[in-house]
């Protein structure tokens, strides 16, 4: 799988004690050649095991808006195993979900978790034309 650097939310980041909230950076899909309207998938690749106290339930979603400041974002859950568990986020694992068709110009990745997690070396972003 090859990530396009311009379509990555998270790029080899080490996330320490992350709780519910957005991860990485906002993507502007309205910019030229950013893939809006093309078949795509949201993929997350883990370079090391995720750790947490216990085994908290986690879910991922996209927040999307036509406004760069996300004053009224829409939250669209990603169709991944529900709930996502630590075992799904071990070194070498990949979670992948089709991108919802109803995303707007600005998009960011959102994590919801019952307790803080630590994930070292996570990459996440859009993958285009996966079956081409």
């Amino acid at each position: 799988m090859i990530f396009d650097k311009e379509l990555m939310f998270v790029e080899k980041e080490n996330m320490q004690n992350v709780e519910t909230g957005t991860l990485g950076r906002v993507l502007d899909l309205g910019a030229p050649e950013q893939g809006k309207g093309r078949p795509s998938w949201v993929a997350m690749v883990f370079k090391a095991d995720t750790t947490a106290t216990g085994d908290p339930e986690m879910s991922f979603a996209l927040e999307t808006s036509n406004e760069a400041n996300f004053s009224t974002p829409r939250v669209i859950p990603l169709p991944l195993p529900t709930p996502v568990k630590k075992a799904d986020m071990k070194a070498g694992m990949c979670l992948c979900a089709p991108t919802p068709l109803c995303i707007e110009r600005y998009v960011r990745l959102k994590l919801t978790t019952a307790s803080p997690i630590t994930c070292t070396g996570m990459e996440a972003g859009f993958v285009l034309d996966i079956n081409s």
Side-chain angles (χ1 to χ4, degrees):
M1 170 180 333
I2 299 172
F3 284 111
D4 180 332
K5 195 171 184 108
E6 292 182 8
L7 294 174
M8 292 185 73
F9 299 108
V10 179
E11 191 177 343
K12 297 180 184 172
E13 288 185 25
N14 295 327
M15 296 177 285
Q16 305 293 322
N17 296 316
V18 176
E19 297 189 50
T20 297
T22 57
L23 301 175
R25 65 186 181 106
V26 173
L27 301 180
D28 180 354
L29 299 182
E33 304 301 318
Q34 290 300 301
K36 186 172 173 61
R38 290 174 65 184
S40 63
W41 289 259
V42 176
M44 292 168 274
V45 178
F46 304 95
K47 305 297 183 183
D49 292 355
T50 295
T51 60
T53 301
D55 195 8
E57 296 183 353
M58 296 169 263
S59 62
F60 292 90
L62 295 180
E63 279 191 344
T64 185
S65 177
N66 278 323
E67 302 155 346
N69 65 0
F70 283 82
S71 61
T72 56
R74 288 187 16 231
V75 177
I76 305 169
L78 290 174
L80 295 166
T82 305
V84 175
K85 301 298 248 174
K86 282 192 306 188
D88 299 318
M89 298 171 63
K90 289 188 179 286
M93 298 291 284
C94 176
L95 296 175
C96 192
T99 302
L101 297 176
C102 55
I103 59 174
E104 297 172 15
R105 178 174 178 165
Y106 299 98
V107 184
R108 59 189 178 189
L109 185 63
K110 181 178 182 181
L111 166 71
T112 302
T113 180
S115 64
I117 66 167
T118 296
C119 180
T120 57
M122 175 185 178
E123 294 179 336
F126 287 110
V127 178
L128 302 175
D129 308 321
I130 200 167
N131 292 323
S132 298

